[in-house]
Amino acid sequence: MNASPRHMSFDIAGMTCAACSTRVEKVIARIEGVHQVKVNLALERADMTAETGVSADAVMERVAKAGYVALPRYGGAAAEAENERRQTRQRADERQTLIRFSLSAVASIALVVGMIPPMTGMGPALISPGTQAVLAAWVFLFSGTRFFREAWAALRSGTTNMAVLVTLGTVAAFVFSLWKLSDPHASHQHLYFESAAVVLTLVMLGKYLEARARRGASAALMSLSRLVPDVAERLSGDKAEIVSVAALRIGDVLRIRPGSRVPADGMVVNGASEVDESLITGESLPVMKKAADTLIAGSVNGNGAVDIKVTALGPETRLGRMTSLVEMTQLSEAPIQKLVDRVSAVFVPSILVLAAVTFAGWAWWAADLETALINAVAVLVIACPCALGLATPTALVAGTGAAARAGILIRDIETLERARSIRCVAFDKTGTLTQGKAQLTGFRIALGFDEREVFSVALALEEVSEHPLAKALVGEARARGIAPAQVSTIRIIPGQSISGIRNGKTVSIGKTINRGDAQGRRNATGTSAELVFGNSVAATFDFADEARPEAAAAISDLQRLGIESVMLSGDNQASANKIGKALGLSAIHGDLSPQEKLVEIGKLRQRFGGVAFVGDGVNDAPALAAADVGIALSTGTDIARETAAFTLMRPDLRLVGAALAIADRTRRTIRQNLGWAFIYNVIGLPLAAFGYLSPIFAGAAMAFSSVSVVTNSAYLATWRPSFAKATPCKAAPS
């Protein structure tokens, strides 16, 4: 009996496109004993299950023969080092692609400007044929060579991709133009150097956008790992030493000083403090931690020092498991393959066959090799993917540009495809539907106490604290123009109160006593605090993290589009209910862990189909990655922004509906552009094959198809969100 299959992971270097990842996947899958393999281009990683007899050396050897490099992926410091190396490679690839595009763009612009007169019938070209050839060769050197290598790799593996399509058309146009240029008796008025150059330049722009997206996906996981500090303070008897986090072991006792980040999951064995876990759990307010309570790696300690006993390290911590959730979700299959690659898989072989048949047919029928060559080249020129090469990048540039002007960043083309299926939007609460910070929502002054005196004493006590409630109260007092009272001997008891002496009497401020009425107020408004003079309660202050002012309008907009809105929050259910009911959400779920959010997203997907998730914190990253479309706020964490398909560059939730709208418009524009490209091919290819369309007119048809595509994309660039077009309401007459 065979042993149970084992899991193996490899970092893959050298992949540049979807065809590369597909090829690596096929190569590994053909190894005997491999059961399943998935290759992720964005993460440059291969995950597989195989029999124990399959060695890492065998995998590396097969991948190397295919032209790529595979390195076994390990955990701990080795994985962190490889993550850094991958980021370096991706930054270098992005920078190199940008340089290639920039250098190609300079030559392409010169070519296009120089060819405007003959293209518009206004006279001869402004640049000589020889100069045209040199400029086109310049573009081939900086951009063409990359696509030629990718095309050759695809053909060797028995597949076709966009690189094959680009290479076929541009080389045909360039070589035919060189042939005409070398013939002293041929007319030099109809050359195709500028067409070849422009195609390569614009497709290189698309490659640059892809490189940025790949680096962003990898940076998401890097952002998570950086939440854990590199060193920790370990206690050994009465001694304390600073050690690397990698040197920690289960059972070690660590000291977590005020303001420092927790390096591992652990149980408090000494001390007490309030800890900010908002990045991990979504809880908007600091959580009091005392003996026997659990601290989470990546959370931030408050004002008190605590000692913890390590219970989990690295990938076994709550943060580590969250990282794995994001990583495995990103390794899952994309919803569709690249649209143009899918088209070219059929289109490229068909054009090759048609050109060969055209050449052979005319050579036999007319017994004239020159006529046969001209008609075959006409087939290749009309099929030259100018419009196909322009279809996706011009629409992406126009759509993403219009979205960016509105405050929306779109990650990649797959996002546009997935966005059309969205029928439900799930919102995080803290920092997403709400403003992410506590605000004073009300107060009650007891009989016999002066309001100004109350705020003055409260200001004196709270201005020494970093607690969110203290900041809210301090802000309110200062807004009223109140100065702090004279309070001495101020003492902070973490998680309980701040006290001092005022005119010989003890004054203190802290959370409300757990009475029935006070608890009822907490459930209704979020939380409360009491100011005590001696033994008398002088005032009660109510705080809450209030909804964003535009949240209700955003949800109303989604409802008009037929999209349901729900809440998935890590905050307590009472606080979630308060916000959710006020905004009119159809379902409200609180007290959810990151894993439980994934379960709820699965349920919503079964019920509605496509699900989008809107969040801003580290704890939202798995949900952002697992949803069909993740939408992050720019005010959120790095990991949220890098994981999400959309980033809203200003905290206006009305942009959620706008993001789905521009994604749908951009996707439809890409499909329309491809339609325009094929209309000219469907009409032109038969005419060229039968000799009714010379290369000159084939080139004109190719140019017209490009103009159609560019015009359609330019119209997309005028898009604005619907709420931005609304006419401001006029003031009512007095």
Side-chain angles (χ1 to χ4, degrees):
M1 177 183 290
N2 290 333
S4 299
R6 62 181 177 131
H7 179 264
M8 303 173 71
S9 295
F10 293 84
D11 287 300
I12 309 294
M15 297 189 298
T16 59
C17 66
C20 294
S21 58
T22 300
R23 186 177 180 217
V24 173
E25 203 166 90
K26 289 180 178 179
V27 167
I28 296 176
R30 284 197 287 264
I31 299 175
E32 186 176 355
V34 173
H35 295 301
Q36 187 179 26
V37 59
K38 287 184 179 180
V39 177
N40 185 280
L41 175 63
L43 298 178
E44 295 183 320
R45 172 173 167 176
D47 278 67
M48 53 186 284
T49 54
E51 301 292 340
T52 54
V54 177
S55 68
D57 289 338
V59 176
M60 290 189 290
E61 182 180 352
R62 290 290 186 91
V63 172
K65 286 182 179 179
Y68 306 93
V69 177
L71 296 173
R73 185 179 179 86
Y74 304 104
E80 179 69 18
E82 181 54 37
N83 282 337
E84 292 285 358
R85 285 193 292 270
R86 182 168 61 251
Q87 280 281 291
T88 300
R89 287 197 307 270
Q90 289 176 340
R91 281 193 294 268
D93 178 55
E94 182 181 337
R95 184 167 55 252
Q96 184 186 74
T97 304
L98 179 59
I99 292 172
R100 287 175 180 266
F101 163 70
S102 301
L103 293 173
S104 300
V106 171
S108 295
I109 291 171
L111 270 169
V112 171
V113 171
M115 296 304 295
I116 286 177
M119 289 192 314
T120 57
M122 297 175 63
L126 299 177
I127 52 178
S128 67
T131 304
Q132 294 175 42
V134 170
L135 290 174
W138 171 278
V139 176
F140 269 70
L141 174 65
F142 286 105
S143 289
T145 51
R146 170 171 176 165
F147 296 114
F148 301 160
R149 286 195 301 269
E150 292 179 15
W152 174 241
L155 292 173
R156 280 196 309 166
S157 64
T159 61
T160 57
N161 60 5
M162 185 64 182
V164 173
L165 198 62
V166 169
T167 299
L168 174 68
T170 55
V171 169
F174 186 77
V175 171
F176 181 72
S177 298
L178 282 179
W179 174 70
K180 292 201 69 176
L181 185 60
S182 66
D183 185 355
H185 303 294
S187 170
H188 295 164
Q189 294 181 357
H190 304 289
L191 304 176
Y192 309 102
F193 291 120
E194 81 285 350
S195 298
V198 169
V199 168
L200 289 173
T201 300
L202 287 168
V203 178
M204 184 58 71
L205 173 60
K207 285 292 184 183
Y208 171 66
L209 296 175
E210 289 178 12
R212 289 192 62 182
R214 281 202 306 274
R215 189 166 66 87
S218 179
L221 300 177
M222 292 289 292
S223 297
L224 279 176
S225 64
R226 292 192 185 105
L227 288 179
V228 177
D230 296 326
V231 297
E233 184 177 358
R234 183 168 61 188
L235 302 180
S236 179
D238 295 333
K239 296 181 179 180
E241 58 178 341
I242 303 298
V243 299
S244 167
V245 169
L248 296 178
R249 297 293 181 267
I250 303 297
D252 283 349
V253 177
L254 310 179
R255 174 152 295 165
I256 312 299
R257 295 190 178 275
S260 62
R261 207 172 273 280
V262 180
D265 285 0
M267 183 179 68
V268 178
V269 294
N270 184 37
S273 182
E274 287 191 319
V275 178
D276 182 359
E277 298 180 340
S278 59
L279 292 177
I280 314 298
T281 67
E283 178 66 49
S284 56
L285 298 173
V287 180
M288 181 61 196
K289 299 291 184 177
K290 56 186 184 302
D293 288 338
T294 299
L295 259 63
I296 304 171
S299 57
V300 180
N301 189 22
N303 293 322
V306 294
D307 298 339
I308 66 169
K309 179 181 287 187
V310 175
T311 57
L313 291 163
E316 299 304 318
T317 64
R318 187 167 177 178
L319 181 63
R321 294 195 299 272
M322 189 184 302
T323 304
S324 298
L325 285 172
V326 175
E327 195 170 52
M328 296 312 297
T329 302
Q330 290 190 339
L331 282 168
S332 61
E333 293 288 343
I336 61 166
Q337 292 181 330
K338 294 289 184 183
L339 183 59
V340 177
D341 282 343
R342 201 168 64 221
V343 170
S344 65
V346 177
F347 185 69
V348 175
S350 301
I351 295 302
L352 285 171
V353 170
L354 181 59
V357 169
T358 299
F359 179 82
W362 279 100
W364 175 78
W365 177 264
D368 183 352
L369 290 180
E370 182 175 347
T371 301
L373 178 62
I374 289 175
N375 290 336
V377 169
V379 169
L380 292 175
V381 171
I382 190 68
C384 182
C386 281
L388 281 175
L390 290 166
T392 298
T394 56
L396 280 177
V397 168
T400 55
R405 285 192 295 273
I408 304 164
L409 295 186
I410 301 176
R411 181 174 174 180
D412 53 37
I413 191 172
E414 282 87 357
T415 297
L416 310 178
E417 193 71 22
R418 293 193 298 268
R420 66 173 178 167
S421 67
I422 300 303
R423 293 296 176 269
C424 177
V425 176
F427 291 89
D428 173 50
K429 182 186 80 70
T430 303
T432 302
L433 285 171
T434 68
Q435 300 185 47
K437 58 182 180 181
Q439 295 180 334
L440 182 66
T441 57
F443 60 90
R444 291 168 295 282
I445 308 297
L447 291 175
F449 292 93
D450 177 70
E451 179 178 312
R452 196 168 186 83
E453 169 72 3
V454 163
F455 271 99
S456 180
V457 172
L459 174 59
L461 294 171
E462 296 282 45
E463 66 180 358
V464 300
S465 173
E466 291 298 315
H467 195 287
L469 300 188
K471 292 180 179 179
L473 189 50
V474 167
E476 177 66 21
R478 287 175 175 166
R480 292 166 173 258
I482 296 175
Q486 292 295 323
V487 178
S488 61
T489 321
I490 295 178
R491 187 166 64 99
I492 301 175
I493 302 176
Q496 297 183 35
S497 65
I498 302 176
S499 62
I501 304 298
R502 165 72 168 164
N503 297 330
K505 183 182 294 185
T506 299
V507 291
S508 64
I509 189 167
K511 290 183 178 179
T512 53
I513 302 170
N514 192 14
R515 297 187 299 263
D517 59 337
Q519 186 65 24
R521 287 196 301 275
R522 185 186 190 280
N523 289 339
T525 63
T527 192
S528 300
E530 289 178 340
L531 179 66
V532 179
F533 278 55
N535 294 320
S536 302
V537 176
T540 302
F541 302 96
D542 294 329
F543 302 88
D545 184 7
E546 294 189 330
R548 293 182 181 274
E550 79 289 347
I555 291 167
S556 179
D557 289 344
L558 291 172
Q559 290 172 345
R560 281 196 294 271
L561 294 172
I563 298 175
E564 291 286 328
S565 299
V566 304
M567 181 193 293
L568 303 179
S569 175
D571 214 341
N572 66 78
Q573 188 67 51
S575 181
N577 285 339
K578 173 182 177 288
I579 297 295
K581 290 178 180 178
L583 296 177
L585 297 173
S586 58
I588 305 164
H589 302 278
D591 294 311
L592 296 178
S593 67
Q595 292 86 345
E596 289 169 336
K597 287 185 180 182
L598 296 188
V599 173
E600 292 299 329
I601 286 175
K603 293 178 181 177
L604 292 172
R605 185 177 284 117
Q606 289 179 351
R607 180 180 174 188
F608 295 104
V611 178
F613 182 81
V614 187
D616 73 319
V618 171
N619 62 298
D620 297 323
L624 287 166
D628 297 283
V629 173
I631 303 175
L633 275 64
S634 63
T635 52
T637 60
D638 289 343
I639 174 61
R641 294 194 301 272
E642 298 291 356
T643 305
F646 293 102
T647 298
L648 308 184
M649 296 309 294
R650 64 176 189 270
D652 187 339
L653 291 179
R654 293 176 297 176
L655 291 175
V656 172
L660 299 178
I662 185 58
D664 182 62
R665 276 284 301 276
T666 306
R667 181 192 62 82
R668 282 191 285 119
T669 299
I670 291 173
R671 290 180 178 271
Q672 290 166 359
N673 286 349
L674 292 173
W676 278 112
F678 278 108
I679 285 174
Y680 287 96
N681 279 309
V682 168
I683 296 174
L685 281 171
L687 294 176
F690 286 102
Y692 294 108
L693 190 67
S694 70
I696 297 172
F697 289 105
M702 180 181 63
F704 278 121
S705 67
S706 299
V707 170
S708 302
V709 165
V710 171
T711 302
N712 196 38
S713 295
Y715 179 69
L716 172 64
T718 65
W719 176 89
R720 287 192 300 159
S722 58
F723 64 83
K725 302 173 186 177
T727 303
C729 296
K730 295 181 179 179
S734 57

